[in-house]
Amino acid sequence: MHSCHDLEQYAQFLQLVEEAKAAGHRHPLKWAIQEAVRRNILRDYLERKGGEVLSILMTEYDYATDMAVLKAEAYEDGLFVGREEGISIGLERGLEQGLERGAYQNKLETARSLLLDGFSAEMISKYTSLPIEAIQQLVD
């Protein structure tokens, strides 16, 4: 413990809590926090987070409540990740569909130009992979 300054100071803080309880202080946790700050024990942390420390130390630990909170947080995390993955998959699928439609439209435009230049529907179908029916609809 002596090799870790923060851990040593935490142990000193806990000792102050025990002293306050033994001395019969009305609010031993508040007194210990104030005394620790005065003695420069975990001072920076307690000045910033003293209220949270007091709240945590005063709260009775309840395993069932803790597990319920952890499960709710995990569920929310899962929803967030699922939404993010869903958006990503949706964008990928949308991009694929858009590219496919664009390629198909490009083939139709090429077929239309080739028809205007006098190429047969069979020849256009062979080189664009478009069905002859689709090419014939361009003529109609």
Side-chain angles (χ1 to χ4, degrees):
M1 179 168 39
H2 295 294
S3 63
C4 180
H5 182 69
D6 290 339
L7 186 57
E8 185 177 348
Q9 286 196 350
Y10 182 69
Q12 291 172 356
F13 171 71
L14 293 178
Q15 183 61 41
L16 288 174
V17 172
E18 292 303 316
E19 287 175 22
K21 287 180 181 178
H25 285 281
R26 185 172 175 193
H27 301 286
L29 295 174
K30 285 182 183 180
W31 180 87
I33 290 171
Q34 292 169 348
E35 187 63 18
V37 168
R38 189 182 71 72
R39 293 185 191 183
N40 203 24
I41 298 170
L42 299 173
R43 180 183 206 141
D44 294 337
Y45 183 77
L46 291 173
E47 284 180 337
R48 284 183 289 119
K49 304 281 188 170
E52 289 179 44
V53 169
L54 184 62
S55 176
I56 290 168
L57 292 174
M58 291 181 72
T59 303
E60 187 175 324
Y61 180 77
D62 177 18
Y63 181 79
T65 301
D66 192 29
M67 288 296 103
V69 168
L70 289 174
K71 285 180 183 178
E73 288 173 352
Y75 177 77
E76 289 298 318
D77 290 346
L79 285 178
F80 178 77
V81 169
R83 276 189 222 114
E84 291 297 313
E85 287 177 3
I87 289 170
S88 178
I89 290 169
L91 288 173
E92 284 180 30
R93 287 184 184 162
L95 181 60
E96 287 174 12
Q97 289 175 355
L99 289 172
E100 288 172 8
R101 287 182 187 151
Y104 185 75
Q105 284 301 114
N106 189 31
K107 286 182 180 184
L108 289 175
E109 290 172 18
T110 299
R112 189 176 290 115
S113 295
L114 291 171
L115 281 172
L116 291 173
D117 285 346
F119 286 86
S120 70
E122 290 80 14
M123 179 75 75
I124 296 169
S125 176
K126 178 180 177 182
Y127 291 105
T128 63
S129 303
L130 286 170
I132 290 180
E133 297 79 24
I135 297 167
Q136 289 172 338
Q137 287 178 356
L138 295 172
V139 177
D140 296 336

